[in-house]
């Protein structure tokens, strides 16, 4: 296995980029273009739009909400096994959805199973890409994450053609069969470092071998050796020295296992896990004490609550307006996907400019998205919907800014935990947004109030982000910190720290 220093920023790393790009394309192609399947499910099951919208919201939100669990799986088992397992979940969930008798079953098979599989693919591909790249990590991650947008662009048109040729069930079966190629992509994910699970197994195996070396010889062999021989004395001395060199922790564990048995070892494991979880929760609470981090979490939640609705409802909006023939030519979901891909790349380049503030750039994109959502009920032509869809797609590419902004707020050491918190809020907003919009339509029989709600939510999140990150807040904090410098008494210093 090649050393990690030689493998960074080139060589096999570009193979990792290609297979990670393909894995995200195959996994997220259908979920990101679920707006094409949504009208078909409405006709097939004759359920309300709010109820049917849970399928699309869960497949996009479950993976984000479960991102801490997905990351833990990658850390313990490695990117390759997790990607193989996720390929089985994505393909199996899509094929199982072809036989769904009702929306409730579809929520489980497509929403939860496929959603969790996509979350595992996302965590595995990003983790192994970061391992192979250091100086060019931003470029590599940008290429990998565009796989979701390219997949949505391709699958939007492909699924419409497959539905026309083979029906909804045949389309889901063929898309699920394509998703099996995720396991082929996993075969190229050669690990640089051994995952945590294998390291534990290796340590346990080495410990068992050492215990066998330290075992006493049988009584018959002891009798064969003469009591006055020098070899026997040398062997006993070496064995005593080896026994003394054993770690005291291992001895205490062995005695506890003999005395207390199974219950004693379980209680010790529970205490150890409790300490780890309490330490993790304390670090999470420290992250959430930052005012900028709280503002960013609120902005992510409000943005996800309103901005994901066009992905699911734009095709139905066009069809409800009598534009069925034009929709069949160029799906709005395809336009949204390709402009989102462009937006991810260009916004990622803009945020690297020194004089551009990443938080304010993100807030500006939220303002544009909110204003565009408010204009959707006003536009009555298909060309106008295409223009608004292009604007929405470009500025919803601001997901590429989240890691950069999070690093600026909490630092690189806490990036993983803080990013997990943000993805939780984002996934929660994505899960709630489309069902709320669908319920508005079921209540009013129109999308006008629904998109007014979505646009207002995004603008409210932008307002909170701008207000809580104003420079005046930093000045107030600096003024509060200045008197601490003049303290000379140790008691005053301790009190100020407390």
């Amino acid at each position: 296995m090649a050393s990690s220093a030689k493998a960074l920023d080139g060589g096999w790393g570009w193979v990792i980029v290609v297979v990670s790009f393909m894995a995200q394309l195959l996994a997220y192609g259908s979920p990101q273009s679920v707006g094409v399947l949504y009208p078909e499910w409405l006709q097939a099951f004759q359920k309300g739009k709010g109820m049917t919208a849970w399928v699309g919201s869960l497949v996009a939100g479950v993976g984000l909400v479960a991102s801490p669990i997905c990351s833990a799986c990658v850390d313990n088992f490695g990117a390759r096994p997790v990607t193989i397992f996720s390929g089985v979940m994505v393909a199996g969930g899509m094929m199982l959805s072809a036989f769904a008798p009702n929306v409730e079953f579809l929520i489980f098979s497509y929403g939860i199973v496929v959603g969790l599989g996509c979350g595992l693919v996302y965590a595995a591909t990003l983790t192994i890409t970061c391992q192979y790249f250091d100086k060019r990590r931003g470029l590599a991650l940008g290429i990998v994450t565009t796989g979701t947008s390219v997949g949505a662009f391709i699958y939007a048109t492909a699924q419409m053609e497959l539905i026309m040729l083979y029906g909804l069930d045949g389309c889901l079966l063929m898309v699920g069969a394509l998703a099996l190629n995720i396991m082929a992509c996993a075969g190229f994910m050669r690990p640089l470092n051994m995952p945590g699970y294998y390291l534990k197994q290796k340590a346990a195996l080495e410990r068992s071998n050492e215990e066998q070396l330290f075992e006493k010889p049988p009584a018959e062999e002891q009798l064969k050796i003469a009591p006055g021989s020098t070899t026997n004395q040398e062997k006993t001395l070496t064995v005593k020295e080896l026994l003394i060199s054993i770690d005291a922790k291992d001895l205490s564990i062995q005695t506890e296992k003999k005395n207390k048995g199974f219950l004693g070892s379980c209680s010790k494991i529970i205490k150890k896990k409790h300490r780890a979880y309490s330490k993790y929760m304390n670090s999470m609470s420290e992250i959430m004490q930052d005012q900028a981090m709280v503002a960013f979490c609120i902005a992510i939640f409000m943005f996800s609550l309103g901005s994901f609705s066009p992905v699911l409802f734009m095709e139905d909006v066009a069809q409800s307006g009598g534009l069925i023939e034009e929709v069949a030519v160029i799906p709005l979901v395809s336009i949204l996907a390709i402009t989102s891909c462009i937006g991810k790349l260009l916004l990622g380049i803009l945020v690297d400019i020194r004089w551009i503030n990443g938080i304010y750039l993100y807030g500006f994109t939220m303002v544009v998205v909110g204003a565009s959502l408010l204009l959707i009920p006003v536009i009555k032509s298909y060309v106008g919907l295409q223009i608004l869809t292009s604007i929405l797609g470009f500025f919803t590419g601001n997901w590429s800014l989240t890691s950069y902004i999070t690093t600026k707020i909490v630092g690189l050491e806490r990036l993983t935990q803080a990013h997990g918190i943000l993805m939780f809020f984002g996934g929660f907003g994505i899960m709630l947004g489309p069902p709320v919009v669908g319920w508005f339509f079921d209540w009013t029989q129109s999308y006008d109030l629904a998109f007014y709600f979505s646009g207002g939510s995004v603008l409210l999140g932008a307002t909170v982000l701008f207000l809580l990150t104003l420079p005046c807040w930093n000045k107030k904090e600096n003024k509060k910190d200045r008197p601490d410098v003049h303290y000379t008494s140790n008691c005053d210093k301790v009190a100020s720290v407390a």
Side-chain angles (χ1 to χ4, degrees), residues 26-35 37-38 41 52-66 89-91 93-94 97 106-120 122 148 159 172 175 308 311-312 426-428 430-432 434-435:
L26 294 168
Y28 280 93
S30 181
Q32 288 292 320
S33 59
V34 71
L37 302 174
Y38 178 72
W41 287 331
T52 311
W54 274 110
V55 182
S57 63
L58 284 174
V59 75
V62 165
L64 295 177
V65 172
M89 289 189 69
V90 173
M94 289 181 181
S97 300
L106 201 63
I107 288 174
F108 167 75
S109 60
Y110 195 92
I112 297 177
V113 177
V114 178
L116 285 175
C118 291
L120 291 171
Y122 192 78
T148 59
Q159 288 186 143
L172 290 172
V175 170
F308 185 71
V311 178
L312 192 60
F428 193 58
I430 288 174
M431 289 172 60
L432 290 180

Side-chain angles (χ1 to χ4, degrees), residues 1 24 101 139 167 191 201 221 260 267 276 289 306 413 457 478 488:
M1 186 178 294
Q24 290 203 12
L139 175 62
Q201 294 294 324
E221 294 183 1
K260 297 182 180 180
S267 62
Q289 289 176 3
E413 295 179 355
S457 300
N478 292 334
T488 56

Side-chain angles (χ1 to χ4, degrees), residues 6-49:
K6 294 181 180 179
L8 285 177
D9 297 309
W12 194 259
W14 295 115
V15 178
I16 298 296
V17 169
V18 173
V19 297
S20 299
F21 173 87
M22 289 302 301
Q24 290 203 12
L25 187 149
L26 294 168
Y28 280 93
S30 181
Q32 288 292 320
S33 59
V34 71
V36 175
L37 302 174
Y38 178 72
E40 302 295 329
W41 287 331
L42 287 174
Q43 295 179 3
F45 299 110
Q46 297 295 320
K47 289 286 186 178
K49 296 192 176 184

Side-chain angles (χ1 to χ4, degrees), residues 91 95 172-181:
M95 292 180 180
L172 290 172
L173 286 173
M174 297 187 73
V175 170
L178 284 174
L180 289 172
N181 290 289

Side-chain angles (χ1 to χ4, degrees), residues 360-375:
Y360 293 158
L361 177 61
Y362 190 89
F364 173 74
T365 60
M366 292 182 67
V367 172
V368 177
V369 170
S372 302
L373 289 170
L374 293 176
L375 289 175

Side-chain angles (χ1 to χ4, degrees), residues 378-398:
V378 181
I379 302 298
K380 300 300 180 182
S381 65
Y382 189 71
V383 176
L385 285 179
Q386 285 179 323
I387 295 172
L388 282 180
T389 302
S390 302
I391 296 172
L392 285 170
F394 181 85
F395 287 99
T396 51
N398 58 7

Side-chain angles (χ1 to χ4, degrees), residues 462-481:
T463 304
V464 172
L465 182 64
F466 280 125
L467 290 178
L468 293 183
T469 55
L470 289 174
C472 60
W473 294 107
N474 294 329
K475 291 180 180 178
K476 290 180 180 179
E477 291 177 359
N478 292 334
K479 290 180 180 178
K480 290 180 181 179
D481 293 339

